[in-house]
Amino acid sequence: MNFVSHPGVSVRNSCKFPLVIRPVRGKFAPLFMKTDIHPKYVDAEIRCACGNEIKTRSTKPVIIVGICNVCHPFYTGQQKFVDTAGRVDKFQQRAAKTQAAQEAFAATKKKKK
C-alpha cells in the first residue's frame, strides 16, 4: 500500500494508526486523528445544595447542582416545595413591599380628602 500525504493533514509522531485510509488519485491517503484537542477527563465531585456529594468523572473537577436524587421529591416520595435560588422569597418580599406601598398611597389619599 502506497501512502501519500493528504493536503491539510500533518502526520505527527504520536499518531501511530490512521483513523481512515481512503483512496486519493489512485493511491491511499491516511487521515490521522488530531491529538491534544480533547479536555482532560478527571475525577469530579458533584455537590448538591442539600449537602450530598457524588464522586464521578468529568471534564470539570467540581459540579454544583441545586437538587439531586437524595432531596428530589420524586425520589424521596415527600411533597415539598423546591425553592430555586431564593426566588420564592424574593417574590414574597416584592409582594409585601408592593402591598405596603399601596396601603401608604391609600392612607395619603384619605388624608387629602
Side-chain angles (χ1 to χ4, degrees):
M1 220 185 274
N2 295 334
F3 288 115
V4 295
S5 62
H6 192 65
V9 176
S10 63
V11 178
R12 297 180 183 178
N13 293 336
S14 62
C15 295
K16 294 183 180 179
F17 302 103
L19 177 64
V20 177
I21 300 176
R22 68 179 193 184
V24 175
R25 287 181 246 126
K27 296 184 179 180
F28 290 97
L31 298 176
F32 292 91
M33 269 199 300
K34 293 181 180 179
T35 58
D36 303 326
I37 63 168
H38 300 290
K40 301 293 180 198
Y41 195 61
V42 297
D43 290 333
E45 186 175 278
I46 300 173
R47 295 181 188 158
C48 180
C50 70
N52 186 27
E53 293 182 1
I54 303 167
K55 304 286 183 185
T56 186
R57 291 180 51 86
S58 175
T59 56
K60 290 183 169 183
V62 177
I63 302 168
I64 299 173
V65 295
I67 193 162
C68 67
N69 63 332
V70 175
C71 58
H72 194 280
F74 179 79
Y75 298 109
T76 61
Q78 299 174 1
Q79 183 65 31
K80 72 175 189 176
F81 190 74
V82 179
D83 184 15
T84 306
R87 292 182 185 164
V88 173
D89 292 335
K90 289 179 185 177
F91 176 77
Q92 289 175 344
Q93 289 172 357
R94 269 191 317 211
K97 190 185 287 186
T98 303
Q99 186 177 5
Q102 287 175 348
E103 290 172 358
F105 180 74
T108 56
K109 193 174 182 182
K110 283 184 181 179
K111 286 183 181 179
K112 287 184 179 179
K113 287 185 179 182

